[in-house]
Amino acid sequence: VIVVSNASPLIILAGIGFFELTKYLFKEIIISQEVWDEVVINGAGLPGSREAQQGFQSGWIHVKPLAKSDQLTAWRNQYNLGAGELATIILAKEIQADVALMDERRARNLALSEDVKVMGSVGIIELGYQKGEVTELRQVYQMLLSNGTYMDRRLLNYSLAKFNLPHL
């Protein structure tokens, strides 16, 4: 499975202590240079930075530059999205990724319009729950809300309902 990630799932999962869930679920993650810069360079000292560096050093996070950096420039003028989000979609298309990990709704919609399958932080956590790596789904969602992560409570409650768990 080829997985490309945007910054937000890495940051969000690191913020609640579940960064390693991506390693367990996907074995390898590929990120663009733009995402690396956002998480590790510009985000130094913030959730995700140290974890991404360690993942890179241990070989399960790979940084891959875009083959078509000119497309990133064109898209930045065309779409009101960040460089990391756009680069993630472009990279996913270039390497024919099976899934792109991203949360921002407009970026997800663009990815889907470009035939790139997406999964967000909630989907990653749900998959971890299904595989037994996340044991208390409701508690994890409460952690998301309590640490200041913007997450739509309706989405979290919809997810809990799928597993017959009480709403938040």
Side-chain angles (χ1 to χ4, degrees):
V1 176
I2 302 171
V3 179
V4 175
S5 186
N6 185 34
S8 61
L10 303 177
I11 293 167
I12 288 169
L13 293 171
I16 59 170
F18 279 85
F19 190 88
E20 293 284 316
L21 184 58
T22 56
K23 179 182 179 184
Y24 170 79
L25 294 173
F26 307 117
K27 307 297 182 246
E28 288 185 332
I29 301 273
I30 302 166
I31 61 174
S32 67
Q33 185 64 53
E34 291 77 8
V35 169
W36 175 265
D37 292 348
E38 184 178 338
V39 175
V40 176
I41 308 302
N42 301 334
L46 298 174
S49 178
R50 179 182 45 79
E51 295 89 345
Q53 286 178 349
Q54 290 171 343
F56 177 76
Q57 290 164 351
S58 63
W60 67 273
I61 291 181
H62 306 276
V63 180
K64 186 163 180 53
L66 297 177
K68 300 177 185 171
S69 57
D70 56 324
Q71 186 175 7
L72 178 60
T73 304
W75 276 19
R76 289 202 72 181
N77 293 325
Q78 187 176 354
Y79 301 107
N80 187 24
L81 292 168
E85 294 157 338
L86 296 171
T88 297
I89 298 167
I90 294 167
L91 183 59
K93 288 179 61 164
E94 287 179 356
I95 65 173
Q96 299 178 325
D98 295 297
V99 66
L101 307 178
M102 53 183 22
D103 289 308
E104 208 278 332
R105 184 182 320 265
R106 288 179 304 119
R108 290 168 63 102
N109 289 339
L110 176 60
L112 292 170
S113 76
E114 293 288 328
D115 294 321
V116 174
K117 185 179 174 192
V118 295
M119 178 183 287
S121 296
V122 171
I124 296 166
I125 295 166
E126 284 181 346
L127 187 57
Y129 181 73
Q130 290 170 321
K131 294 189 176 276
E133 287 297 303
V134 173
T135 55
E136 296 292 333
L137 187 61
R138 192 169 186 277
Q139 182 180 336
V140 172
Y141 290 168
Q142 287 172 327
M143 288 167 48
L144 280 175
L145 294 173
S146 67
N147 86 343
T149 302
Y150 172 75
M151 199 60 67
D152 187 336
R153 186 179 287 267
R154 291 173 301 184
L155 173 65
L156 299 178
N157 283 326
Y158 175 76
S159 171
L160 290 167
K162 286 196 289 191
F163 298 104
N164 296 313
L165 296 169
H167 284 180
L168 296 168

mmCIF file of all heavy atoms in Angstrom, residues 13-34:
data_model
loop_
_atom_site.group_PDB
_atom_site.id
_atom_site.type_symbol
_atom_site.label_atom_id
_atom_site.label_comp_id
_atom_site.label_asym_id
_atom_site.label_seq_id
_atom_site.Cartn_x
_atom_site.Cartn_y
_atom_site.Cartn_z
ATOM 1 N N LEU A 13 -2.300 13.381 15.125
ATOM 2 C CA LEU A 13 -2.030 12.114 15.811
ATOM 3 C C LEU A 13 -0.893 12.256 16.820
ATOM 4 O O LEU A 13 -0.945 11.679 17.902
ATOM 5 C CB LEU A 13 -1.748 11.009 14.800
ATOM 6 C CG LEU A 13 -2.960 10.617 13.939
ATOM 7 C CD1 LEU A 13 -2.542 9.687 12.817
ATOM 8 C CD2 LEU A 13 -4.054 9.994 14.781
ATOM 9 N N ALA A 14 0.127 13.029 16.476
ATOM 10 C CA ALA A 14 1.224 13.260 17.424
ATOM 11 C C ALA A 14 0.714 14.000 18.653
ATOM 12 O O ALA A 14 1.134 13.712 19.779
ATOM 13 C CB ALA A 14 2.348 14.049 16.765
ATOM 14 N N GLY A 15 -0.207 14.927 18.457
ATOM 15 C CA GLY A 15 -0.732 15.729 19.549
ATOM 16 C C GLY A 15 -1.473 14.921 20.604
ATOM 17 O O GLY A 15 -1.582 15.353 21.756
ATOM 18 N N ILE A 16 -1.976 13.743 20.220
ATOM 19 C CA ILE A 16 -2.683 12.899 21.187
ATOM 20 C C ILE A 16 -1.924 11.602 21.481
ATOM 21 O O ILE A 16 -2.465 10.677 22.080
ATOM 22 C CB ILE A 16 -4.131 12.586 20.729
ATOM 23 C CG1 ILE A 16 -4.143 11.873 19.376
ATOM 24 C CG2 ILE A 16 -4.968 13.860 20.714
ATOM 25 C CD1 ILE A 16 -5.496 11.317 18.980
ATOM 26 N N GLY A 17 -0.660 11.542 21.028
ATOM 27 C CA GLY A 17 0.179 10.387 21.345
ATOM 28 C C GLY A 17 -0.068 9.165 20.479
ATOM 29 O O GLY A 17 0.283 8.054 20.880
ATOM 30 N N PHE A 18 -0.636 9.359 19.278
ATOM 31 C CA PHE A 18 -0.930 8.232 18.403
ATOM 32 C C PHE A 18 -0.195 8.299 17.062
ATOM 33 O O PHE A 18 -0.627 7.711 16.074
ATOM 34 C CB PHE A 18 -2.450 8.133 18.153
ATOM 35 C CG PHE A 18 -3.179 7.464 19.273
ATOM 36 C CD1 PHE A 18 -3.596 8.196 20.379
ATOM 37 C CD2 PHE A 18 -3.440 6.110 19.248
ATOM 38 C CE1 PHE A 18 -4.261 7.586 21.431
ATOM 39 C CE2 PHE A 18 -4.107 5.484 20.288
ATOM 40 C CZ PHE A 18 -4.519 6.228 21.382
ATOM 41 N N PHE A 19 0.940 8.980 17.018
ATOM 42 C CA PHE A 19 1.706 9.112 15.784
ATOM 43 C C PHE A 19 2.109 7.744 15.226
ATOM 44 O O PHE A 19 2.032 7.495 14.026
ATOM 45 C CB PHE A 19 2.952 9.962 16.028
ATOM 46 C CG PHE A 19 3.680 10.350 14.773
ATOM 47 C CD1 PHE A 19 3.330 11.500 14.100
ATOM 48 C CD2 PHE A 19 4.724 9.578 14.281
ATOM 49 C CE1 PHE A 19 4.000 11.871 12.940
ATOM 50 C CE2 PHE A 19 5.397 9.938 13.128
ATOM 51 C CZ PHE A 19 5.032 11.096 12.460
ATOM 52 N N GLU A 20 2.527 6.849 16.107
ATOM 53 C CA GLU A 20 3.002 5.520 15.692
ATOM 54 C C GLU A 20 1.896 4.671 15.065
ATOM 55 O O GLU A 20 2.186 3.668 14.407
ATOM 56 C CB GLU A 20 3.614 4.774 16.882
ATOM 57 C CG GLU A 20 4.896 5.393 17.394
ATOM 58 C CD GLU A 20 6.090 5.108 16.492
ATOM 59 O OE1 GLU A 20 6.242 3.965 16.055
ATOM 60 O OE2 GLU A 20 6.867 6.046 16.252
ATOM 61 N N LEU A 21 0.646 5.070 15.247
ATOM 62 C CA LEU A 21 -0.465 4.330 14.639
ATOM 63 C C LEU A 21 -0.309 4.289 13.119
ATOM 64 O O LEU A 21 -0.599 3.262 12.499
ATOM 65 C CB LEU A 21 -1.797 4.985 15.031
ATOM 66 C CG LEU A 21 -3.071 4.298 14.570
ATOM 67 C CD1 LEU A 21 -3.163 2.869 15.084
ATOM 68 C CD2 LEU A 21 -4.291 5.112 15.036
ATOM 69 N N THR A 22 0.197 5.379 12.540
ATOM 70 C CA THR A 22 0.384 5.388 11.084
ATOM 71 C C THR A 22 1.434 4.357 10.669
ATOM 72 O O THR A 22 1.291 3.708 9.642
ATOM 73 C CB THR A 22 0.796 6.789 10.575
ATOM 74 O OG1 THR A 22 1.972 7.218 11.251
ATOM 75 C CG2 THR A 22 -0.325 7.789 10.774
ATOM 76 N N LYS A 23 2.477 4.193 11.461
ATOM 77 C CA LYS A 23 3.505 3.190 11.164
ATOM 78 C C LYS A 23 2.910 1.786 11.244
ATOM 79 O O LYS A 23 3.156 0.948 10.368
ATOM 80 C CB LYS A 23 4.673 3.324 12.133
ATOM 81 C CG LYS A 23 5.771 2.303 11.907
ATOM 82 C CD LYS A 23 6.879 2.469 12.929
ATOM 83 C CE LYS A 23 7.973 1.452 12.734
ATOM 84 N NZ LYS A 23 8.997 1.548 13.769
ATOM 85 N N TYR A 24 2.134 1.534 12.278
ATOM 86 C CA TYR A 24 1.516 0.219 12.437
ATOM 87 C C TYR A 24 0.562 -0.085 11.275
ATOM 88 O O TYR A 24 0.582 -1.187 10.728
ATOM 89 C CB TYR A 24 0.771 0.132 13.769
ATOM 90 C CG TYR A 24 -0.079 -1.114 13.866
ATOM 91 C CD1 TYR A 24 0.500 -2.343 14.174
ATOM 92 C CD2 TYR A 24 -1.445 -1.068 13.612
ATOM 93 C CE1 TYR A 24 -0.269 -3.498 14.233
ATOM 94 C CE2 TYR A 24 -2.219 -2.206 13.673
ATOM 95 C CZ TYR A 24 -1.628 -3.423 13.978
ATOM 96 O OH TYR A 24 -2.395 -4.561 14.020
ATOM 97 N N LEU A 25 -0.252 0.886 10.915
ATOM 98 C CA LEU A 25 -1.277 0.652 9.897
ATOM 99 C C LEU A 25 -0.719 0.607 8.478
ATOM 100 O O LEU A 25 -1.206 -0.159 7.650
ATOM 101 C CB LEU A 25 -2.361 1.735 9.976
ATOM 102 C CG LEU A 25 -3.202 1.751 11.243
ATOM 103 C CD1 LEU A 25 -4.120 2.972 11.248
ATOM 104 C CD2 LEU A 25 -4.015 0.464 11.375
ATOM 105 N N PHE A 26 0.268 1.449 8.190
ATOM 106 C CA PHE A 26 0.703 1.617 6.800
ATOM 107 C C PHE A 26 2.142 1.200 6.507
ATOM 108 O O PHE A 26 2.559 1.205 5.366
ATOM 109 C CB PHE A 26 0.493 3.073 6.368
ATOM 110 C CG PHE A 26 -0.902 3.563 6.598
ATOM 111 C CD1 PHE A 26 -1.147 4.607 7.477
ATOM 112 C CD2 PHE A 26 -1.979 2.986 5.952
ATOM 113 C CE1 PHE A 26 -2.440 5.069 7.696
ATOM 114 C CE2 PHE A 26 -3.278 3.435 6.158
ATOM 115 C CZ PHE A 26 -3.503 4.475 7.032
ATOM 116 N N LYS A 27 2.926 0.888 7.514
ATOM 117 C CA LYS A 27 4.330 0.466 7.378
ATOM 118 C C LYS A 27 5.240 1.581 6.862
ATOM 119 O O LYS A 27 6.326 1.766 7.368
ATOM 120 C CB LYS A 27 4.487 -0.771 6.481
ATOM 121 C CG LYS A 27 3.617 -1.949 6.861
ATOM 122 C CD LYS A 27 3.940 -2.506 8.231
ATOM 123 C CE LYS A 27 3.095 -3.707 8.547
ATOM 124 N NZ LYS A 27 2.172 -3.515 9.645
ATOM 125 N N GLU A 28 4.813 2.286 5.820
ATOM 126 C CA GLU A 28 5.605 3.382 5.264
ATOM 127 C C GLU A 28 4.680 4.538 4.913
ATOM 128 O O GLU A 28 3.561 4.324 4.474
ATOM 129 C CB GLU A 28 6.321 2.971 3.980
ATOM 130 C CG GLU A 28 7.463 2.035 4.161
ATOM 131 C CD GLU A 28 8.193 1.792 2.843
ATOM 132 O OE1 GLU A 28 7.575 1.892 1.768
ATOM 133 O OE2 GLU A 28 9.384 1.505 2.906
ATOM 134 N N ILE A 29 5.196 5.739 5.090
ATOM 135 C CA ILE A 29 4.471 6.956 4.726
ATOM 136 C C ILE A 29 5.422 7.779 3.853
ATOM 137 O O ILE A 29 6.602 7.919 4.175
ATOM 138 C CB ILE A 29 4.113 7.796 5.974
ATOM 139 C CG1 ILE A 29 3.252 7.005 6.944
ATOM 140 C CG2 ILE A 29 3.469 9.107 5.572
ATOM 141 C CD1 ILE A 29 1.791 7.051 6.711
ATOM 142 N N ILE A 30 4.884 8.328 2.787
ATOM 143 C CA ILE A 30 5.662 9.210 1.924
ATOM 144 C C ILE A 30 5.087 10.613 2.078
ATOM 145 O O ILE A 30 3.868 10.799 2.061
ATOM 146 C CB ILE A 30 5.588 8.755 0.451
ATOM 147 C CG1 ILE A 30 6.103 7.314 0.324
ATOM 148 C CG2 ILE A 30 6.370 9.710 -0.450
ATOM 149 C CD1 ILE A 30 5.782 6.651 -0.997
ATOM 150 N N ILE A 31 5.962 11.584 2.263
ATOM 151 C CA ILE A 31 5.528 12.974 2.350
ATOM 152 C C ILE A 31 6.332 13.810 1.363
ATOM 153 O O ILE A 31 7.459 13.468 1.003
ATOM 154 C CB ILE A 31 5.660 13.550 3.784
ATOM 155 C CG1 ILE A 31 7.110 13.538 4.274
ATOM 156 C CG2 ILE A 31 4.750 12.800 4.751
ATOM 157 C CD1 ILE A 31 7.331 14.228 5.620
ATOM 158 N N SER A 32 5.735 14.902 0.947
ATOM 159 C CA SER A 32 6.424 15.832 0.058
ATOM 160 C C SER A 32 7.406 16.680 0.860
ATOM 161 O O SER A 32 7.317 16.757 2.091
ATOM 162 C CB SER A 32 5.401 16.746 -0.632
ATOM 163 O OG SER A 32 4.794 17.589 0.342
ATOM 164 N N GLN A 33 8.309 17.335 0.160
ATOM 165 C CA GLN A 33 9.236 18.254 0.820
ATOM 166 C C GLN A 33 8.464 19.376 1.510
ATOM 167 O O GLN A 33 8.838 19.815 2.595
ATOM 168 C CB GLN A 33 10.223 18.841 -0.201
ATOM 169 C CG GLN A 33 11.294 19.714 0.414
ATOM 170 C CD GLN A 33 12.209 18.937 1.351
ATOM 171 O OE1 GLN A 33 12.758 17.917 0.982
ATOM 172 N NE2 GLN A 33 12.376 19.426 2.578
ATOM 173 N N GLU A 34 7.350 19.792 0.903
ATOM 174 C CA GLU A 34 6.536 20.864 1.476
ATOM 175 C C GLU A 34 5.939 20.450 2.828
ATOM 176 O O GLU A 34 5.891 21.245 3.766
ATOM 177 C CB GLU A 34 5.419 21.263 0.495
ATOM 178 C CG GLU A 34 5.909 21.965 -0.756
ATOM 179 C CD GLU A 34 6.543 21.040 -1.813
ATOM 180 O OE1 GLU A 34 6.479 19.794 -1.658
ATOM 181 O OE2 GLU A 34 7.109 21.566 -2.786
#
